[in-house]
Amino acid sequence: MLLRSLKLGSTEHYLPALNGTYHRGKALKILLENEMFYAYELVNSLVVTRSVANPVAKLLESGNLVMKDANDDDPENFLWQTFDYPCDTQLPGMKLGRNTITGLDRSLTSWKSNDDPSRGDFTYGLDPRGYPQIVMRKGSVEQFRAGSWNGLRFTGSPNLKRNSIYSFRFVFNQKEMYYIFELLNSSVLTRMVLNTNGLMQRFIWIERTQGWNLYLTSQTDSCDNYALCGAYGSCNIDNSPKCGCLKGFVPKFPTDWDISDWSNGCVRRTPLDCRTGDGFIKYSGVKLPDTRYSWFNESMNLKECKMVCLRNCSCMAYASLDISKGGSGCLLWFVDLIDIRDLTENGQEIYIRMASSEVGQLDSNGKKRVWIIVGSVFAVMLLLGLGLTLYIRKKKQKRKLSGQGKKGQNPEKDYTTEDLELPLFDLATIANATNNFSINNKIGEGGFGPVYKGVLEDGQEIAVKRLSKNSKQGLEEFKNEAWKLHMEDRSLELIDASIGDSCDKIEVLRSIHVGLLCVQRCPEDRPSMSSIVLMLSSESALPQPKQPGFFTERNPVEGYSSSGKPESCSANEITVTWLSAR
């Protein structure tokens, strides 16, 4: 039973509201759902709205104690129920608001202390004036305003979000206006409590600890104190000081603001002049101001709302009434705007009336800022582009000079300066991956030398060819082999013998082909990543790869020169011959 975990309020919250009389000594049965709980003899006279043949009091599973006819379970026909007098706690299914026909006001009242359930100082309920809003008061003084309903949540409750524990909604019609929440999972219990310090808190029942765990508090920080920054002031908890005037406004009494007394708020820097024409400035990401002196229309759009406000010189601001489904409705303010704060999430837009000269100035300043930002970004991009162009040009020149200086040299000695764009590993890494070239890791041997299977530290398996001291091949032959084998239609020889029978040879050949396209000498010949994905995931024809960047050819007459001096050759294998005297 949920009720077993709740503190019950005193009878002063309930009995005075009853009308009609039950006579002293009349027995009234109090029942649980399917069993008799106990009998209660009425000592005081009780009243009901009408007489019934068989009156009983029944404690429902929801925690609602109702007086009803024993044969009538329709909630609309209940004679009386505790959910209409909620004390300090709102339970699932309990309405927080007003019945506009009967005048019944369902609001929360705090306890006087944690061990004294008589009426405390704080109340939390719906203020029906203007556009209805939830307000918490200490006596008659506003302390916190949860705000008006915007179709998704109350404007001052950004932490009221869709969740997996409970659903919530606001009902507003000709008969009633109320906030209600329902459990999405009946095995999870939750309740809202107005504590003795005036904090509105939601708790979740934790079965393991057999206790209530705090889920959220409606008031998040000192910016939730009602009207802290005065009229046209906005509170931002991340600023110091936290109160500031809205743009286009200045402190009403600057000396008071200097000592952090913001209660008198701000005034327009340029007074309104409705005869010469006013305009509106949009403010975004804020908690909408107090709506007790507002006017609303549910059918208007935002453009119509603006025109209505503009034609009425007393209208100070307008906003969308409902921001769900793209926004609809109209909400107008006719007094100074108070209790505004900046919100980091789930804030709204409001359009505040300003002098036309102020609107033009703020707009031009805004446009100037935009152009400054755009200009700055363009300048930075231009500098980056120039710097990158100069860097590439210098690199190309250096590479060209380096190539001219090395013409005719042994290419095997210059591999470190080539732009291979391939991963390089030091000897220690390779030795560690192959267990120091263990015989147990050897998987084959060729003219170049033995081949070892290895595993890098990240788990990637590799094959390592080690140059044999007796081999007459060298680094260039090793690099030229991911290319010559392909040109000789012998790419399958690259497959490790241990997986040769288990792999899809067509896919392997296609992967090798794509790999060679990716390392072509000229970067503009190489395919983009999107093209590579398409090549690997389809069976479309592939272009023939050009020479890879790491491919070099040995001088065809090298080794036959008696002088031992380097001979020159061209990259297209056409030899150049000249005569010289003996």
Side-chain angles (χ1 to χ4, degrees):
M1 266 299 170
L2 179 61
L3 195 61
R4 294 174 184 171
S5 301
L6 300 178
K7 297 177 180 178
L8 296 176
S10 63
T11 56
E12 67 173 294
H13 291 283
Y14 309 115
L15 298 182
L18 300 176
N19 297 313
T21 303
Y22 269 106
H23 294 293
R24 183 188 183 95
K26 178 76 173 180
L28 184 65
K29 296 178 181 179
I30 298 180
L31 306 176
L32 293 178
E33 288 290 349
N34 296 311
E35 57 180 311
M36 182 179 292
F37 186 50
Y38 61 85
Y40 175 68
E41 183 176 350
L42 298 172
V43 177
N44 299 315
S45 60
L46 296 179
V47 283
V48 295
T49 56
R50 66 182 186 278
S51 60
V52 293
N54 188 13
V56 294
K58 188 174 184 180
L59 183 62
L60 304 181
E61 186 66 28
S62 63
N64 191 12
L65 178 63
V66 302
M67 181 182 292
K68 68 183 195 69
D69 188 291
N71 300 318
D72 189 354
D73 292 326
D74 186 354
E76 294 295 324
N77 294 330
F78 288 166
L79 303 175
W80 179 87
Q81 58 181 330
T82 56
F83 271 22
D84 285 339
Y85 311 93
C87 193
D88 68 338
T89 300
Q90 183 185 12
L91 298 176
M94 183 183 290
K95 299 176 180 179
L96 184 67
R98 293 179 176 240
N99 186 313
T100 56
I101 296 178
T102 65
L104 176 65
D105 180 15
R106 307 179 188 92
S107 59
L108 302 183
T109 304
S110 67
W111 286 20
K112 183 167 290 186
S113 66
N114 289 332
D115 53 6
D116 183 356
S118 59
R119 290 182 183 270
D121 296 330
F122 298 96
T123 58
Y124 186 84
L126 190 69
D127 187 338
R129 294 175 291 178
Y131 187 54
Q133 58 185 348
I134 298 288
V135 178
M136 194 269 289
R137 295 182 174 89
K138 184 177 183 180
S140 60
V141 180
E142 290 83 357
Q143 301 291 311
F144 164 68
R145 189 177 61 89
S148 54
W149 185 257
N150 63 14
L152 298 176
R153 62 186 59 83
F154 295 109
T155 60
S157 302
N159 53 3
L160 186 61
K161 308 172 186 176
R162 294 181 61 182
N163 58 82
S164 60
I165 300 174
Y166 62 94
S167 62
F168 54 89
R169 68 184 189 277
F170 183 69
V171 176
F172 186 23
N173 53 43
Q174 293 182 346
K175 179 181 177 182
E176 292 181 293
M177 55 179 77
Y178 61 85
Y179 166 73
I180 189 172
F181 70 90
E182 305 279 0
L183 293 178
L184 295 176
N185 187 341
S186 59
S187 64
V188 180
L189 304 180
T190 180
R191 62 185 176 122
M192 288 290 288
V193 177
L194 177 62
N195 70 17
T196 57
N197 297 317
L199 292 178
M200 195 65 191
Q201 298 177 316
R202 179 174 292 279
F203 293 89
I204 304 292
W205 176 256
I206 306 299
E207 190 66 28
R208 178 178 56 83
T209 60
Q210 290 292 293
W212 292 97
N213 187 48
L214 179 62
Y215 181 73
L216 63 82
T217 300
S218 293
Q219 301 97 312
T220 56
D221 50 55
S222 58
C223 278
D224 277 326
N225 294 342
Y226 180 78
L228 178 67
C229 301
Y232 299 109
S234 181
C235 188
N236 188 326
I237 197 63
D238 295 324
N239 290 344
S240 181
K242 53 194 167 189
C243 281
C245 293
L246 297 172
K247 60 184 178 182
F249 291 80
V250 294
K252 186 174 184 179
F253 300 116
T255 54
D256 290 346
W257 278 64
D258 292 340
I259 59 173
S260 299
D261 180 3
W262 309 297
S263 57
N264 289 302
C266 307
V267 293
R268 287 175 175 82
R269 183 167 50 201
T270 304
L272 296 175
D273 189 349
C274 192
R275 294 173 300 175
T276 60
D278 296 325
F280 296 94
I281 296 295
K282 181 172 74 172
Y283 301 81
S284 302
V286 299
K287 170 186 176 181
L288 294 186
D290 194 326
T291 57
R292 78 179 77 183
Y293 300 113
S294 65
W295 177 89
F296 63 94
N297 181 289
E298 296 178 339
S299 61
M300 285 184 178
N301 58 37
L302 195 61
K303 185 176 181 180
E304 294 170 332
C305 189
K306 176 182 178 180
M307 297 309 299
V308 170
C309 188
L310 192 61
R311 287 195 294 264
N312 189 328
C313 293
S314 299
C315 181
M316 296 292 103
Y318 71 93
S320 288
L321 186 70
D322 188 331
I323 62 172
S324 65
K325 300 178 181 178
S328 63
C330 176
L331 183 58
L332 305 180
W333 284 264
F334 294 92
V335 294
D336 288 340
L337 309 181
I338 59 173
D339 197 35
I340 302 173
R341 70 164 296 174
D342 292 342
L343 296 174
T344 56
E345 61 173 348
N346 298 326
Q348 281 189 244
E349 295 178 345
I350 184 172
Y351 299 81
I352 300 179
R353 192 183 202 108
M354 303 293 286
S356 56
S357 60
E358 195 74 32
V359 173
Q361 182 178 349
L362 290 174
D363 283 347
S364 64
N365 288 340
K367 292 178 180 178
K368 181 182 290 186
R369 283 194 295 270
V370 169
W371 279 113
I372 290 174
I373 294 172
V374 171
S376 300
V377 171
F378 178 76
V380 171
M381 295 295 292
L382 181 61
L383 289 174
L384 287 175
L386 289 174
L388 184 60
T389 301
L390 291 174
Y391 171 77
I392 294 174
R393 181 176 298 177
K394 188 174 181 179
K395 190 173 181 180
K396 286 183 176 180
Q397 290 175 348
K398 185 176 180 181
R399 189 180 301 171
K400 183 177 181 180
L401 292 175
S402 177
Q404 292 174 351
K406 293 185 293 183
K407 185 179 292 185
Q409 294 181 7
N410 187 348
E412 293 185 11
K413 297 181 181 179
D414 300 316
Y415 66 92
T416 57
T417 62
E418 294 182 357
D419 184 16
L420 302 184
E421 297 188 6
L422 296 173
L424 299 175
F425 302 97
D426 56 29
L427 179 60
T429 301
I430 298 299
N432 182 60
T434 59
N435 196 18
N436 202 22
F437 299 101
S438 170
I439 190 66
N440 296 328
N441 289 53
K442 186 175 178 180
I443 57 176
E445 187 166 0
F448 185 86
V451 182
Y452 298 87
K453 180 180 180 181
V455 180
L456 296 176
E457 290 184 354
D458 61 1
Q460 182 180 358
E461 293 186 351
I462 60 173
V464 180
K465 283 191 175 186
R466 188 178 189 186
L467 179 63
S468 171
K469 65 172 64 176
N470 298 322
S471 173
K472 296 184 179 179
Q473 300 184 33
L475 178 63
E476 297 306 318
E477 287 78 5
F478 172 62
K479 291 190 293 182
N480 294 342
E481 183 175 1
W483 174 246
K484 289 185 175 180
L485 290 178
H486 172 75
M487 296 300 293
E488 297 171 2
D489 292 329
R490 295 166 52 209
S491 296
L492 289 177
E493 294 182 19
L494 293 171
I495 302 176
D496 192 319
S498 63
I499 62 170
D501 296 330
S502 60
C503 65
D504 187 328
K505 293 182 174 59
I506 295 179
E507 290 186 0
V508 171
L509 289 173
R510 191 173 186 86
S511 298
I512 294 173
H513 196 134
V514 173
L516 288 171
L517 290 173
C518 294
V519 294
Q520 295 177 98
R521 183 180 298 276
C522 296
E524 56 268 25
D525 292 332
R526 301 168 191 168
S528 63
M529 282 304 302
S530 58
S531 300
I532 293 171
V533 173
L534 182 62
M535 291 176 183
L536 293 175
S537 59
S538 67
E539 297 181 358
S540 59
L542 299 177
Q544 284 300 317
K546 298 178 182 178
Q547 279 190 357
F550 52 77
F551 180 76
T552 56
E553 293 185 282
R554 191 176 294 273
N555 191 327
V557 296
E558 186 178 358
Y560 295 95
S561 173
S562 59
S563 65
K565 295 181 180 180
E567 303 284 343
S568 69
C569 67
S570 61
N572 57 9
E573 297 185 348
I574 300 176
T575 60
V576 178
T577 308
W578 66 92
L579 299 176
S580 62
R582 294 194 175 186

